[in-house]
Amino acid sequence: MSSPPVVLSIAGTDSGGAAGTAADLTTFAALGVHGACVITAVTAQHTLGVDAVHAVPIGVVEAQLEAVLGDLPVAAVKTGMLGSAEVVRQVARRCAGIPLVVDPVLVATSGAVLGGREVREAYLRDLIPAATVITPNVDEAAALLDRPGVDSRQAPDLAKELAGHGCAALVTGGPQWRPGEVIESCTDWLATPDGEVQCFDHPAVRTSNDHGTGCTFSAALAALLAHGHSLTDAAESAAHHTTTQLIAGSAWRLGRGRGPIAHTTNRGNDERP
Ligand SMILES: Nc1ncnc2c1ncn2[C@@H]1O[C@H](COP(=O)(O)OP(=O)(O)O)[C@@H](O)[C@H]1O
Ligand SMILES: Cc1ncc(COP(=O)(O)O)c(N)n1
């Protein structure tokens, strides 16, 4: 039997098991790739918010990168919470030349800020030019480009402008539910450095169990690229995978806040091993 592709997650932990490394590794397993992980930060986190963040010392991040990249045949890398400008630059140096999916984690679903101004500047200057694709939501794209006050109508322009910094940009369109409002579909916008823009529409899932959605999407994208899919196919399939997982977890009642997206659909909610 042939070996699976290896995908490396460089991310922070979420003690509540919804986002970060937990989402990445379970998504990798669901999509048939072997997941390796470099931990950049440990968060004390649950469905209501982030209580504490401990940054892993830069030397320990470097040792983890060396351990993985020096031994395993990494086919793709996915970055999540990097936490400091120093780590952003280190990842850019170590991962240049490997297919690289950058999810610029700046704000958690709960609203907690996970990356400040220096981190945003390092993304633009150092990591985006080394990346294959960056996957911000509209708020993260606006924060990276310093465009306060823009909304989802500007998503294609934000994607185009980010792509001007040297990698493809996939601006995701998770719905912003307002009471009483009906949202039928979500749209993700993919812009490539050659100026082409494509949009991907899919049905919106009405759920408050969406903590970890962005991590799941970008991890799926990296896994699909590692399997050899084109960026366009991977973008479409990653959205389909994410929607399926949102549906699978939509009836769960876990925690008092934004519950986790389901990471695998191998067993139904009512089946037991
Ligand atoms: N409620 C939803 N229903 C269907 N798709 C969703 C929903 N929320 C997010 N998505 C999709 O999940 C992917 C991740 O997007 P998004 O939620 O914008 O990321 P983030 O968690 O970083 O805000 C995108 O493909 C987006 O369209
Ligand atoms: C460690 C870590 N990484 C990423 C996220 C973002 O995930 P989400 O946007 O779903 O809150 C998070 N909350 N925590």
Side-chain angles (χ1 to χ4, degrees):
M1 207 165 134
S2 61
S3 307
V6 176
V7 182
L8 169 61
S9 153
I10 307 177
T13 65
D14 166 7
S15 51
T21 311
D24 291 353
L25 294 183
T26 48
T27 301
F28 293 162
L31 293 174
V33 299
H34 173 74
C37 59
V38 165
I39 308 291
T40 55
V42 175
T43 74
Q45 192 173 168
H46 41 76
T47 62
L48 292 165
V50 179
D51 292 342
V53 176
H54 171 74
V56 171
I58 188 92
V60 180
V61 176
E62 178 61 29
Q64 295 175 78
L65 284 168
E66 179 60 36
V68 176
L69 297 173
D71 182 40
L72 292 166
V74 174
V77 176
K78 177 244 146 125
T79 70
M81 177 183 176
L82 298 178
S84 74
E86 208 179 6
V87 173
V88 173
R89 286 192 287 271
Q90 182 190 35
V91 169
R93 266 196 314 274
R94 297 300 309 240
C95 299
I98 307 174
L100 173 58
V101 176
V102 171
D103 186 21
V105 174
L106 300 173
V107 183
T109 300
S110 60
V113 175
L114 301 173
R117 187 178 53 80
E118 260 191 60
V119 176
R120 295 200 297 272
E121 286 172 1
Y123 269 113
L124 274 189
R125 200 183 43 236
D126 301 303
L127 194 52
I128 291 179
T132 307
V133 57
I134 180 167
T135 62
N137 60 28
V138 171
D139 291 343
E140 287 162 340
L144 281 169
L145 296 167
D146 203 13
R147 300 267 181 287
V150 302
D151 61 33
S152 56
R153 284 168 300 187
Q154 275 91 50
D157 296 332
L158 292 169
K160 247 188 180 167
E161 191 174 341
L162 276 172
H165 287 264
C167 75
L170 186 43
V171 175
T172 59
Q176 308 288 316
W177 304 108
R178 287 181 200 86
E181 197 176 1
V182 177
I183 299 177
E184 300 286 350
S185 63
C186 317
T187 307
D188 302 329
W189 294 90
L190 174 64
T192 41
D194 60 10
E196 201 189 318
V197 182
Q198 281 173 278
C199 78
F200 304 91
D201 266 323
H202 53 271
V205 181
R206 182 141 208 136
T207 178
S208 59
N209 295 330
D210 59 356
H211 188 187
T213 303
C215 305
T216 299
F217 176 76
S218 52
L221 192 63
L224 292 158
L225 291 176
H227 277 301
H229 290 249
S230 69
L231 185 54
T232 305
D233 286 353
E236 205 155 16
S237 300
H240 177 71
H241 174 79
T242 306
T243 310
T244 306
Q245 301 312 129
L246 284 166
I247 293 169
S250 60
W252 290 0
R253 296 168 75 88
L254 297 176
R256 288 166 292 142
R258 302 283 279 268
I261 182 174
H263 295 315
T264 67
T265 44
N266 295 341
R267 291 200 180 93
N269 292 342
D270 301 320
E271 286 175 47
R272 294 289 177 266

